[in-house]
Amino acid sequence: GLAVPASILTALGLLFFFQSAFDYFESWAYAWALMPTAGGVGTALAGLWAGNPQLARNGARAAAVGFTIFLAFGAFFELLIFRRGAIGGHAWTIALLLVGGFLLLRGWADRRAHDPWAADEPDLDVRDNGRVFPY
């Protein structure tokens, strides 16, 4: 029951650590999107621990949406608003991270077609008119 608040508090702690370590508090302009992401991660973990696949899927979707918002707002603020030059020196690193993130999300979407939670349901044979063997 505490997976969601624990995830949010952990994300806040990591975010505060990052901002303090690099003295980069401007990131709050878009870092707020990590809070729904953390809530989605907590919901997914709660669903996995409770054996509720629907809750786990909903949490994973919420985390993906939150992270996408974070990336979009982060790119907007860093490239168009702040323009401190710090991001320009790391353009290749950021590009590689984005490409890697895209590949991970594409692999995740491909795996969704082969839902691992469906293995809990018995296989039906069409020839048996929906009956499951053994009786």
Side-chain angles (χ1 to χ4, degrees), residues 53-54 57 61 108-121:
Q54 185 64 34
R57 278 192 290 267
R61 275 191 216 110
W108 175 72
D110 289 343
R111 276 195 308 265
R112 284 191 51 170
H114 307 292
D115 189 8
W117 298 103
D120 296 337
E121 299 173 10

Side-chain angles (χ1 to χ4, degrees), residues 14-94:
L14 291 171
L15 182 61
F16 291 156
F17 175 75
F18 170 81
Q19 289 177 334
S20 295
F22 295 103
D23 193 32
Y24 196 64
F25 297 99
E26 297 89 359
S27 64
W28 265 121
Y30 54 89
W32 58 267
L34 290 175
M35 296 311 106
T37 304
V41 168
T43 303
L45 287 174
L48 288 174
W49 290 334
N52 186 342
Q54 185 64 34
L55 186 62
R57 278 192 290 267
N58 289 343
R61 275 191 216 110
V65 168
F67 192 67
T68 302
I69 292 170
F70 169 74
L71 289 177
F73 276 96
F76 173 76
F77 278 100
E78 292 294 337
L79 297 175
L80 298 177
I81 304 295
F82 297 154
R83 293 179 158 229
R84 290 181 11 164
I87 237 18
H90 303 290
W92 284 107
T93 305
I94 293 169

